[in-house]
Amino acid sequence: MLVNQLPVFYFGHLFNVLNDHAVPLERWLAQHNLDKESLLKPGANISTQQFDALMQGVLTQTELQHLGLLVGQRLQIAHHGAFGLGILNCNSIRSIIKFVQQYMITRIPFIEITAFEENKEIVILANDAHWEGHLHRFMIEAVSLAMYNLFLALKQRHPDIKINRLFFDFEKPHYHQRYTIFEPAEISFNRGFSGLAFDLKWADFSLSEVDPMSFEQAKQMCDMELQKLHEYMSVAAKVREWMISNETLYPKLQEIAKILHMSPRTLHRELAKEGFTFKEVVEQFQAKKAREYLLAYGHSVSKTALLLGYSDTANFRRAFKRWYGCSPSDYLQHQRD
């Protein structure tokens, strides 16, 4: 588990949606030893286990399968606090992507944002490092609509900016007609990854009506939130966070121990308490990035191996087979079938 406490920044919007659908909030929360007043206090947190159990109970109700869309639709830029203020005052879409990559963790810790250029487009991926099934779909839908609302806000200043397509890594839901909210963007399902794409020409387009001072203030506030979140991070999460920020550098245990201000022996011991070895943490990250490089980015096996720190492609092939039970080429063929 990456963090044992989640910020409840958007719970007010969640409660409003559930109230609209006649969910008995007080009883629902009490079942999990929670209360509405405490959760709505500034800076409130909830344990990851409580959040997962809380949301699973709601998402099993047939009439609320599309809860992610309902919550995401309510999330306008102004609702993101300092995070939203920073986005509003970025001077380009490329800088917005960088800002979101750095600070998304302060809002939804398990969603990791990556971006790459392909066929005159910028493709942004939302990778879920924790949730599965109904919860995964809920989170991806909410994040996707929040990102879509960001583009709608940009269109108010720059009408020609638009999203070309959105794609999701889950099967088409029975309520897929509700995805018309994303039109006119092209929508596809069961794609292996979730994300969106827009024309590369907009990446460095100068955005108007931005205030550099407000951006710096927002960045400072987000840095403070990020520092607070680190208190709830596992040691494995801190190792993973470093690898996300230094994607093509795969350090040795001694190097990471120094970065985390502990001895190699202490780092080994702390990871063992969490049920990991250093090699397992690194390889879990490498396994996810290998799949992303091959399937989403379309990189060759040799380039993927190099990016993941393997000087010998044969060693990478063996590692990949250990992770996924087949060779990289067989895996790609299976995904395309």
Side-chain angles (χ1 to χ4, degrees):
M1 184 173 295
L2 300 180
V3 292
N4 53 32
Q5 294 283 322
L6 297 174
V8 291
F9 206 86
Y10 304 115
F11 262 47
H13 303 285
L14 172 64
F15 290 158
N16 288 337
V17 171
L18 295 179
N19 188 60
D20 291 345
H21 287 77
V23 173
L25 292 177
E26 301 297 340
R27 188 174 68 196
W28 171 60
L29 293 172
Q31 290 172 352
H32 300 274
N33 300 314
L34 297 167
D35 66 271
K36 184 177 178 181
E37 184 178 347
S38 298
L39 290 173
L40 292 180
K41 287 181 179 178
N45 292 294
I46 183 174
S47 77
T48 303
Q49 294 94 330
Q50 281 181 312
F51 176 82
D52 291 357
L54 193 67
M55 296 309 302
Q56 283 286 11
V58 173
L59 293 170
T60 54
Q61 299 182 38
T62 306
E63 67 274 15
L64 286 174
Q65 291 286 299
H66 61 297
L67 184 60
L69 295 178
L70 295 174
V71 174
Q73 192 171 5
R74 289 175 178 254
L75 297 181
Q76 305 299 317
I77 298 298
H79 299 149
H80 301 297
F83 183 60
L85 180 64
I87 290 172
L88 277 175
N89 288 286
C90 287
N91 57 18
S92 69
I93 291 181
R94 196 183 295 278
S95 64
I96 288 175
I97 296 170
K98 183 178 179 181
F99 190 87
V100 171
Q101 287 178 306
Q102 186 171 1
Y103 296 114
M104 171 67 90
I105 191 173
T106 65
R107 295 300 180 263
I108 309 177
F110 295 113
I111 299 296
E112 299 164 355
I113 303 298
T114 57
F116 63 99
E117 298 177 12
E118 179 185 59
N119 298 328
K120 297 184 179 180
E121 286 187 324
I122 282 196
V123 181
I124 303 173
L125 303 180
N127 301 304
D128 185 345
H130 174 69
W131 291 293
E132 297 178 352
H134 293 314
L135 261 173
H136 168 72
R137 189 175 62 194
F138 164 77
M139 298 305 303
I140 293 298
E141 286 178 342
V143 169
S144 297
L145 251 177
M147 294 173 74
Y148 185 73
N149 287 339
L150 163 62
F151 272 84
L152 293 182
L154 290 177
K155 281 183 72 68
Q156 292 179 10
R157 289 184 276 170
H158 306 283
D160 293 332
I161 291 177
K162 65 184 179 71
I163 293 175
N164 294 340
R165 53 195 173 93
L166 289 102
F167 43 94
F168 301 92
D169 62 354
F170 44 81
E171 293 184 1
K172 182 186 292 186
H174 66 84
Y175 54 85
H176 62 88
Q177 296 90 343
R178 293 180 179 272
Y179 278 72
T180 55
I181 193 171
F182 292 112
E183 290 182 348
E186 175 190 326
I187 308 295
S188 58
F189 297 94
N190 209 21
R191 289 290 305 277
F193 285 91
S194 297
L196 58 84
F198 62 92
D199 287 346
L200 179 59
K201 67 181 181 181
W202 296 114
D204 298 304
F205 180 79
S206 251
L207 300 176
S208 62
E209 302 175 30
V210 299
D211 178 18
M213 185 175 294
S214 293
F215 175 80
E216 287 303 321
Q217 290 174 340
K219 192 174 186 303
Q220 289 174 18
M221 288 187 282
C222 286
D223 282 334
M224 291 173 63
E225 293 176 3
L226 192 58
Q227 186 175 1
K228 181 180 178 182
L229 184 67
H230 279 178
E231 298 173 13
Y232 302 113
M233 274 188 176
S234 65
V235 175
K238 291 175 182 178
V239 175
R240 182 185 176 89
E241 184 189 30
W242 190 92
M243 289 190 291
I244 290 171
S245 300
N246 301 272
E247 196 169 293
T248 58
L249 300 176
Y250 290 89
K252 296 180 180 178
L253 183 142
Q254 292 83 353
E255 294 170 328
I256 284 290
K258 185 176 181 181
I259 291 167
L260 297 181
H261 306 292
M262 59 180 70
S263 69
R265 181 175 295 180
T266 300
L267 175 56
H268 175 79
R269 185 171 60 248
E270 292 301 314
L271 287 172
K273 288 179 184 177
E274 297 172 5
F276 295 103
T277 66
F278 183 75
K279 182 180 179 181
E280 286 171 342
V281 175
V282 172
E283 286 208 344
Q284 281 181 7
F285 183 77
Q286 287 179 315
K288 282 186 173 289
K289 294 306 295 185
R291 181 174 174 272
E292 183 178 317
Y293 287 147
L294 292 168
L295 189 59
Y297 291 30
H299 289 340
S300 66
V301 173
S302 58
K303 183 174 182 179
T304 298
L306 187 63
L307 288 172
L308 293 177
Y310 287 85
S311 56
D312 185 343
T313 303
N315 287 338
F316 167 69
R317 291 180 190 275
R318 282 191 288 270
F320 192 94
K321 190 167 186 178
R322 188 170 68 252
W323 299 333
Y324 293 107
C326 61
S327 68
S329 56
D330 287 344
Y331 181 85
L332 286 172
Q333 186 60 47
H334 175 72
Q335 292 295 320
R336 289 166 183 156
D337 288 345

